[in-house]
Amino acid sequence: MPGRTADGKAGERIVLVDETQADRPTIEAYELITRKLRVPRVPLFFRALAGERALLPCWQALRPAVRLRAFEEGADDLRVRAARSAVEQGCPLIETQLEWAGYDVDEIEEIRGQVNIFHYQDAKLLLAVAVLCEALQGVAGGGKETPRATQRVPRGVPHEMDIVELVPEDANGSLSKVFRSIRAHLGLGLVADDFRAFGRWPKYLNIAWDDARKRDAHPRARTALAELWSQAEAVAATLPVTVSLRAAQLSAAGADPERVRALVDRFRRTLPGLVLDVAQFKVQLDGAEEALDSPFPVRWKYINPDDYMSVGLDEPVKLRAGDPVGLEEE
């Protein structure tokens, strides 16, 4: 099935490496990505990087940034901006329509769980792409280091996060039509994981997608996309870590640097719209106030300092006078 190349012409489809096809280094990277990003499934963007043999150098470049509180809170701010833009465009509630479509309370709650995952995840992916864009051009980050900004994000998928199950992209029936619309709208030549997950409820996806498309011509829509990307770039520039990714590092991994830049640019053009779409889906279900909050917030004040201390485990610790040096000392 033809996709689009980075210059927008019809051409080869993005190559993905799924978990079942990956070699051991890629699988290990995938496991780290889900733990560090706090998501239940390897995002499409990273599977696409693996398809270009660029996953390992790109992840090594990103890893010091994504594990920081500054990154987590920067993504939270992007999510807030997207939700506010959705509200400004007059996004209505649709739960009553879902009930009319035959969905019961439990099914709507399942839908809500999936929307929460991608509402959380996509803002983080947008920021990760912004960091990579800057790193490929020179250096990203370099902001001021503070104890708050450099605090470590707890590892692991939140226990309340549901499992993500994807329907086949070549689904028939009503999904076939909406999937064609999604491919054309996003410009990736494939259906993003978000919509394949939502596709478990075809009537819901049709209602939510059709409603979101009604606001494409809204004066705020194009401005909102530009503002989201500008904010992502601003956050990437102020992260308290320096991120760089040289062409030689990509080549050493077997990747073509130009193809990698083109792939990252495709996601740069797609992700602001995807973040805004899923923010609209969240507002449709739960209203403005719920959409402004992170669906899976980090409870920073309850985190043990050992979970985020910046001192390496092998580095000597300076004790104060009187500090115990053994377990039996009082």
Side-chain angles (χ1 to χ4, degrees), residues 117-171:
I117 290 171
F118 291 99
H119 187 47
Y120 176 76
Q121 170 182 294
D122 289 349
K124 300 184 82 168
L125 292 180
L126 175 60
L127 183 51
V129 167
V131 172
L132 269 186
C133 280
E134 294 298 317
L136 286 166
Q137 295 174 11
V139 176
K144 182 179 179 181
E145 293 187 22
T146 66
R148 178 189 177 100
T150 55
Q151 192 172 349
R152 296 289 180 84
V153 176
R155 298 181 295 271
V157 180
H159 70 275
E160 66 271 29
M161 193 176 275
D162 294 341
I163 295 172
V164 173
E165 298 178 17
L166 307 181
V167 301
E169 191 176 340
D170 58 356

Side-chain angles (χ1 to χ4, degrees), residues 64-182:
V66 301
R67 63 189 181 186
L68 300 180
R69 181 171 183 170
F71 185 95
E72 185 79 16
E73 292 185 339
D76 289 344
D77 291 342
L78 289 169
R79 198 176 302 112
V80 167
R81 180 177 283 275
R84 285 178 175 159
S85 296
V87 173
E88 289 170 2
Q89 293 175 47
C91 189
L93 295 171
I94 65 168
E95 188 162 341
T96 301
Q97 294 182 59
L98 298 183
E99 293 171 353
W100 289 344
Y103 293 114
D104 60 27
V105 173
D106 290 338
E107 288 173 310
I108 293 174
E109 192 60 29
E110 283 187 279
I111 293 169
R112 178 175 287 111
Q114 296 297 301
V115 170
N116 282 343
I117 290 171
F118 291 99
H119 187 47
Y120 176 76
Q121 170 182 294
D122 289 349
K124 300 184 82 168
L125 292 180
L126 175 60
L127 183 51
V129 167
V131 172
L132 269 186
C133 280
E134 294 298 317
L136 286 166
Q137 295 174 11
V139 176
K144 182 179 179 181
E145 293 187 22
T146 66
R148 178 189 177 100
T150 55
Q151 192 172 349
R152 296 289 180 84
V153 176
R155 298 181 295 271
V157 180
H159 70 275
E160 66 271 29
M161 193 176 275
D162 294 341
I163 295 172
V164 173
E165 298 178 17
L166 307 181
V167 301
E169 191 176 340
D170 58 356
N172 298 319
S174 60
L175 276 179
S176 178
K177 181 179 178 181
V178 71
F179 277 2
R180 283 198 301 270
S181 176
I182 289 167

Side-chain angles (χ1 to χ4, degrees), residues 20 28 34 42 56 64 111 142 190 207 215 236 254-255 259 308:
T20 56
E28 291 174 353
T34 55
V42 183
L56 299 184
I111 293 169
L190 46 73
I207 291 170
R215 279 171 291 286
R259 288 180 60 89
Y308 60 80

